C-alpha cells in the first residue's frame, strides 16, 4: 500500500512538472510576440489571474469539504481540501471525469462515504449549471 501511495505521489509530481513545462513552452512560443512596453502589464495580469484562480479554487475546496462534512464532522477537513486541490490537476486530462475519480478516491481515504461523495458531486454539478445559466441569462 505504501509503495502504491509513493507511486501516486511521484505521478502527481510528474504531472505537475509536465503542466508547468507545457505552460512555460506556451509562454516561450507566444510570449515573444508581446511588445516590450506591455511585458510588465502582461506579467502583472497573469500573476493576478493566477492568484485569483488559486483563491477561487481554495474557496471551492472549502465549500466541497463543507458539503461533505454537513452530516459527519468527523471527516478530516484537511484531507478533503487537499483531495479537491489534487483533483484540479485531473480536470485537464481529456475526458474531464478524472477530477471526480480523484476526489472520490481521496474523499473515501479521508473518511467520507460513497453516498456523501455522490451527493456532493451532484450538488456541485447542479450549482455549476445554475450559475452558468444565470450568467448566460444575464449576458443574453
Amino acid at each position: 500500500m505504501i509503495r502504491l501511495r509513493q507511486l501516486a505521489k511521484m505521478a502527481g509530481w510528474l504531472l505537475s512538472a509536465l503542466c508547468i513545462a507545457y505552460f512555460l513552452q506556451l509562454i516561450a512560443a507566444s510570449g515573444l510576440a508581446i511588445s516590450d512596453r506591455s511585458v510588465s502589464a502582461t506579467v502583472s495580469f497573469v500573476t493576478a489571474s493566477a492568484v485569483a484562480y488559486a483563491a477561487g479554487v481554495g474557496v471551492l475546496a472549502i465549500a466541497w469539504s463543507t458539503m461533505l462534512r454537513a452530516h459527519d464532522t468527523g471527516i478530516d477537513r484537511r484531507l478533503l481540501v487537499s483531495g479537491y486541490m489534487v483533483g484540479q490537476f485531473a480536470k485537464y486530462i481529456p475526458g474531464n471525469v478524472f477530477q471526480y475519480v480523484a476526489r472520490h478516491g481521496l474523499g473515501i481515504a479521508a473518511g467520507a462515504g460513497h453516498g456523501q461523495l455522490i451527493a456532493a458531486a451532484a450538488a456541485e454539478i447542479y450549482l455549476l449549471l445554475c450559475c452558468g445559466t444565470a450568467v448566460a441569462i444575464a449576458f443574453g
Side-chain angles (χ1 to χ4, degrees):
M1 184 67 170
I2 292 174
R3 176 155 313 271
L4 183 60
R5 183 173 290 156
Q6 290 171 337
L7 288 173
K9 283 185 180 182
M10 287 175 47
W13 281 106
L14 179 63
L15 180 61
S16 298
L18 289 173
C19 289
I20 290 169
Y22 176 72
F23 182 67
L24 291 175
Q25 182 261 338
L26 282 177
I27 290 173
S30 64
L32 299 176
I34 300 170
S35 69
D36 289 338
R37 290 181 292 163
S38 65
V39 169
S40 63
T42 302
V43 169
S44 297
F45 176 75
V46 169
T47 302
S49 297
V51 169
Y53 180 78
V57 170
V59 169
L60 289 173
I62 292 169
W64 173 259
S65 70
T66 301
M67 282 194 295
L68 287 172
R69 290 172 40 105
H71 300 292
D72 183 1
T73 57
I75 302 171
D76 188 348
R77 180 182 292 273
R78 183 183 57 83
L79 289 176
L80 290 176
V81 170
S82 65
Y84 187 92
M85 301 298 268
V86 167
Q88 289 301 303
F89 283 113
K91 176 192 306 189
Y92 299 104
I93 296 173
N96 202 13
V97 297
F98 294 105
Q99 65 181 341
Y100 295 109
V101 172
R103 286 185 206 161
H104 198 89
L106 294 167
I108 292 294
H114 292 289
Q116 290 171 296
L117 289 159
I118 291 169
E124 179 184 19
I125 292 168
Y126 172 76
L127 291 171
L128 179 64
L129 289 172
C130 289
C131 290
T133 302
V135 169
I137 290 171
F139 290 103

